[in-house]
Amino acid sequence: MIRILGISASPRRGSTEFCVQKALQAAESIGGVETKFISLRGKEIKPCLHCDSCFSKGRCIYDDDAAQIIDEFFQADGVIIGSPVYDMNISSQLAALFNRFRMRFNELCNQTPRALEYKVAGALAVGGSRNGGQEMTIGAILNFCMTEGMIIVGGEKFQNTGACIWSNDKKISHVNPDEIGLEAARGVGRRVAQIASLIKKGIQNGN
């Protein structure tokens, strides 16, 4: 069974959650896939201080929601990360979560130097206009994933970096008319699941 995690980095229940869930549904459609959805909405994720407590003491100084989310990330075979576009970039909630990976990555790397090398990642971004910074936001997500040594994928044909979705209203239903964006989100979901499946089968077969 392939495990695919979907993360919505929006502080609201809205279009980003909706699109990540559509991507997860598409991932399930290839068969043999188990999905889990996590929203950062309402989560307590404190900013990393780069205090090096995770190195010197083996634990983070914070006791918040970040550790559990990061554990789910490491347990998944593939991850779909979605963010709204905030000033041509990812949300502050997602930036804080990415920074906090340092604590868990240090712990795992002492046991497995390349703990994330076989994990697959795909990205989607929801903006307030057709060309509202979605590709730059996707780039920020994928740059993090590359930094952690992950295998990154885009969507299907003509979805080179990921899914760019246009939501011209705060209401969740208003993402529906953007069928191009939604199909791109589905494409990312399928692609992440397909590649994660191939990689896991290869590992199991000793290739």
Side-chain angles (χ1 to χ4, degrees), residues 1-4 24 26-35 193-194 197:
M1 183 68 70
I2 304 300
R3 301 182 65 184
I4 305 297
L24 289 175
E28 291 174 351
S29 72
I30 74 164
V33 173
E34 172 183 276
T35 63
Q194 288 164 349
S197 179

Side-chain angles (χ1 to χ4, degrees), residues 1-2 14 18 22 30-31 33 37 51 56 61 71 99-100 117 148 167 170 177 190 198 203:
M1 183 68 70
I2 304 300
F18 180 75
K22 289 296 183 184
I30 74 164
V33 173
F37 172 77
C51 65
S56 62
I61 61 171
D71 280 345
N99 291 165
R100 293 286 300 284
E117 67 178 339
E148 301 297 349
S167 175
K170 293 181 180 179
R190 288 188 290 265
L198 288 171
I203 293 172

Side-chain angles (χ1 to χ4, degrees), residues 89-116:
N89 213 323
I90 58 177
S91 67
S92 59
Q93 289 81 5
L94 186 56
L97 181 67
F98 283 169
N99 291 165
R100 293 286 300 284
F101 266 71
R102 192 168 185 265
M103 61 171 178
R104 187 71 173 121
F105 197 69
N106 175 59
E107 175 188 338
L108 284 173
C109 278
N110 288 334
Q111 306 165 25
T112 308
R114 301 196 67 185
L116 290 175

Side-chain angles (χ1 to χ4, degrees), residues 3 9 11 23 26 53 118 129 141 146 153 171 173 197 205:
R3 301 182 65 184
S53 176
Y118 295 122
S129 63
I141 294 171
M146 284 192 291
V153 299
K171 295 180 181 178
S173 61
S197 179
N205 291 332

Side-chain angles (χ1 to χ4, degrees), residues 170-190:
K170 293 181 180 179
K171 295 180 181 178
I172 190 169
S173 61
H174 283 261
V175 77
N176 283 306
D178 183 15
E179 281 302 328
I180 295 173
L182 282 177
E183 185 51 36
R186 297 183 191 103
V188 168
R190 288 188 290 265

Side-chain angles (χ1 to χ4, degrees), residues 52-74:
D52 285 339
S53 176
C54 55
F55 285 85
S56 62
K57 299 179 181 179
R59 59 181 175 81
C60 182
I61 61 171
Y62 295 132
D63 181 17
D64 58 11
D65 294 318
Q68 183 176 355
I69 298 170
I70 292 169
D71 280 345
E72 292 285 352
F73 193 103
F74 276 89

